[in-house]
Amino acid sequence: MSRIALVDDDRNILTSVAITLEAEGFEVETYNDGQSALDAFMQRLPDMAVLDIKMPRMDGMDLLQRLRQKTKTMPVIFLTSKDDEIDEVLGLRMGADDYVTKPFSQRLLVERIRALLRRQEVIAKDDAGEVEESKSLVRGDLTMDPLRHAVTWKGKDVSLTVTEFLLLQALAQRPGFVKSRDQLMDVAYDDQVYVDDRTIDSHIKRLRKKMRTADDDFSAIETLYGIGYRYNEE
C-alpha cells in the first residue's frame, strides 16, 4: 500500500482527496501547512507527496526545495492555481514531477499518482536489474521508453512530466498525422475535467522548450493554426 502525503491549507480539498485516495487503496497522510509536513517528512518519507504551492508557515516551493535536499527521487505533484504558469515552471525546474491545476478532477489526480508510482517502481526495479527489455518508440532522433518514462533526443536525456510525455507520445505514434486539441485533451486529461485550448497550447510550448534543451533546432512538433499539432519525423 503506497503512502501519499497531501499538503494543502484548504481542509475541504484535504478531506475530499483523502477519501478518494483511501477508496483507491492508498494510505493517506494530510497536512495543512508546509512546516508540519516537512517535520513529518524528516522523520519518515512518504512514497509520494501532493503539494499545494501557496500555504502558510512554508509554501510548496520552499517545502519542495527542502525535500529535494533529502531525496531526489520521491515523486512530487504540485497543485497550482488556474493559469499560474510561473509557479508551474518554477516548480518543475525545482524538481516537481508533474502538476495538476485547480479546480481538478480527482480521477485525473489519481491517474497522475498511479502513473508516477508506476514509473518509480520501474526505476527501482531497473536499478536492481529486474526490468525486462521494453519496446521503445523510435521516431528519427526521438526515442521514448514508456515503461521507464524516459525520453532521449539525439542521444540526450529530456525530462518530461507525465502530461508532456503523454502528449509527445500521442503525436509521435503517428508522424505526419494531425492531432486536434480535443484529441490531445483526451490523451492528457480525464474525460470528467474540462480544459481550454490554451492549456494544451501551454503544455506544447513547455514541451518544445524542454526538447530544445537537447537541441536548439528542434522543430519536430508543427502547429497547424486552427487545427492542432503534428509530429514530423526528422
Side-chain angles (χ1 to χ4, degrees), residues 128-198:
E130 299 174 1
V131 173
E132 298 179 359
E133 288 300 314
S134 61
K135 187 175 181 180
S136 295
L137 174 67
V138 180
R139 295 288 185 267
D141 293 318
L142 174 70
T143 300
M144 302 186 72
D145 184 338
L147 188 59
R148 294 177 175 85
H149 191 87
V151 176
T152 62
W153 178 264
K154 294 185 176 180
K156 296 181 180 179
D157 293 332
V158 182
S159 179
L160 301 182
T161 67
V162 171
T163 305
E164 292 159 353
F165 187 96
L166 291 172
L167 292 175
L168 180 59
Q169 184 180 41
L171 290 167
Q173 281 175 336
R174 301 193 70 188
F177 286 80
V178 178
K179 287 281 188 180
S180 70
R181 289 174 176 81
D182 285 343
Q183 289 173 317
L184 292 175
M185 287 178 197
D186 290 342
V187 168
Y189 290 93
D190 184 90
D191 58 9
Q192 297 178 14
V193 63
Y194 171 77
V195 295
D196 59 27
D197 289 351
R198 291 188 302 120

Side-chain angles (χ1 to χ4, degrees), residues 3 29 31 34-46 70:
R3 294 172 51 247
E29 301 168 351
Y31 308 91
Q35 185 60 58
S36 61
L38 179 64
D39 292 343
F41 294 168
M42 291 302 102
Q43 300 300 316
R44 183 189 181 199
L45 284 172
K70 184 175 179 64

